[in-house]
Amino acid sequence: MKTAVFLVVLSCAVALDVTLNQHWNLWKKTNNKNYSDVEEHIRRNIWESNLKKVQAHNYEADLGIHTFWLGMNQFADLTEIEFSKMMNGDNAKVLNQKTNAQYEFTRNPNVKLPDTVDWRDKGYVNPVTDQGQCTSDWALAATGSLEGQHFNATGKLVVLSIQNLIDCSGKQGNMGCVGGEPIQAYEYIKENNGIDTEDTYPYEGDSNRCRFKAEGVGATVTGSTAIKSKDEEALQEAVANIGPIAVAIDSSHTSFQLYKQGVYHEIFCSQIHLDRGLLAVGYGTDSGKDYWLVRNSMGVKWGEQGYIRMTRNKRNECGIATSASYPLVPKM
């Protein structure tokens, strides 16, 4: 009897191992992953650890304990620390844009706001971009907000050069693929009398020498405005009435790394140690859960086709309203 039970257990274990191998190989193929023999073992162990986290979290989400689900995306072979370093560098800090911006946006309580906003529906937002392993999220947030403001002024949605900002805005305090801030990007564009288009100055995913061409300018900036820090109501009014807004968050958690869908809620998020720039393109409510609609820059395989819905009206969770801003453009 004991032998029979042992054989059944052994058979189940072998079947599970075979299935896990199949899933691992399929995941590698889907995400174009190739490793050396030594690295294969390391990455497989990390992948299995993340798989257990995803399964445990999603089981609880199915029971209603969480408001979002995780998935085994292209970052599932990385530890939390590796992911944060790869995508955000070592630059988590308190972003203090208010002191550099020319103006501050505050909430006007007399302005009635819509329940739902999505600037994608009105043509203000370009498709999701994949930054690769260059920490250019700050530049994508800056260009995203400027593209929206330029569209509002001209009726034309252009794709602006991220590489231009990476290579040329060091004087203003940005550090290329090491990191930067949208307000400093706007300062550069204003002083430079414009920013090139993506076609003129294409993305390379690495820092290089500045090759700005005046004839390739796609948009200009006259100044910048910072949203009152940590004020979600002010941010809501700005998103509702101004357009897409550059924001910064704390993204240094496995829950963000492996986010798949739903309204993201991370109780360990910081309001001040912000490491990632994104673009808030709207807001809404899902089953009673208020959220911000935010465009990320890690490709369409991540999250909800490159987007994340982040918890809104929960004490400025992840610092989304701590360092938000938008550029001012010339009136046409």
Side-chain angles (χ1 to χ4, degrees), residues 193-206:
N193 295 316
I195 177 175
D196 281 344
T197 64
E198 171 67 15
D199 287 340
T200 303
Y201 201 151
Y203 189 58
E204 298 168 348
D206 199 3

Side-chain angles (χ1 to χ4, degrees), residues 252-322:
S252 61
H253 306 276
T254 301
S255 57
F256 184 88
Q257 172 185 345
L258 301 176
Y259 168 81
K260 182 178 182 181
Q261 63 184 32
V263 179
Y264 181 72
H265 173 52
E266 174 55 68
I267 61 174
F268 295 109
C269 256
S270 171
Q271 285 194 52
I272 58 173
H273 295 287
L274 314 179
D275 59 13
R276 184 161 195 79
L278 303 100
L279 187 70
V281 305
Y283 61 82
T285 302
D286 182 0
S287 301
K289 306 294 183 183
D290 293 341
Y291 65 82
W292 297 104
L293 178 62
V294 183
R295 190 188 72 180
N296 198 1
S297 54
M298 300 193 303
V300 296
K301 288 184 177 181
W302 181 90
E304 297 180 333
Q305 295 185 311
Y307 282 80
I308 181 171
R309 285 180 291 161
M310 301 192 65
T311 291
R312 179 167 61 92
N313 296 331
K314 277 195 176 179
R315 297 177 297 280
N316 185 31
E317 187 170 300
C318 296
I320 193 165
T322 298

Side-chain angles (χ1 to χ4, degrees), residues 24 28 35-48:
W24 167 243
K28 286 193 297 179
Y35 311 108
S36 66
D37 291 342
V38 174
E39 190 179 15
E40 172 99 10
H41 178 71
I42 296 171
R43 295 298 148 201
R44 171 68 181 263
N45 285 338
I46 295 170
W47 181 86
E48 287 190 22

Side-chain angles (χ1 to χ4, degrees), residues 85-211:
K85 187 172 183 178
M86 174 189 291
M87 303 308 298
N88 307 317
D90 297 314
N91 299 299
K93 59 181 178 179
V94 180
L95 298 180
N96 189 14
Q97 295 182 330
K98 180 179 176 182
T99 57
N100 296 327
Q102 291 175 286
Y103 305 99
E104 182 183 43
F105 185 98
T106 57
R107 173 76 170 110
N108 182 349
N110 297 318
V111 175
K112 183 175 175 57
L113 303 178
D115 294 332
T116 303
V117 171
D118 187 344
W119 287 106
R120 297 176 300 180
D121 297 337
K122 299 181 179 180
Y124 277 62
V125 185
N126 276 311
V128 171
T129 300
D130 188 347
Q131 70 185 67
Q133 294 189 28
C134 170
T135 307
S136 57
D137 48 278
W138 59 275
L140 281 152
T143 55
S145 189
L146 177 52
E147 287 161 356
Q149 292 307 297
H150 183 77
F151 176 82
N152 182 56
T154 67
K156 297 178 181 179
L157 183 63
V158 298
V159 182
L160 298 174
S161 175
I162 306 159
Q163 195 67 43
N164 187 173
L165 294 178
I166 292 170
D167 294 342
C168 306
S169 62
K171 178 183 175 182
Q172 289 72 29
N174 292 325
M175 298 175 287
C177 281
V178 178
E181 298 181 20
I183 287 289
Q184 293 168 174
Y186 304 144
E187 183 181 349
Y188 160 76
I189 297 169
K190 179 184 177 182
E191 294 176 359
N192 192 57
N193 295 316
I195 177 175
D196 281 344
T197 64
E198 171 67 15
D199 287 340
T200 303
Y201 201 151
Y203 189 58
E204 298 168 348
D206 199 3
S207 300
N208 212 322
R209 64 179 179 83
C210 183
R211 289 152 289 160

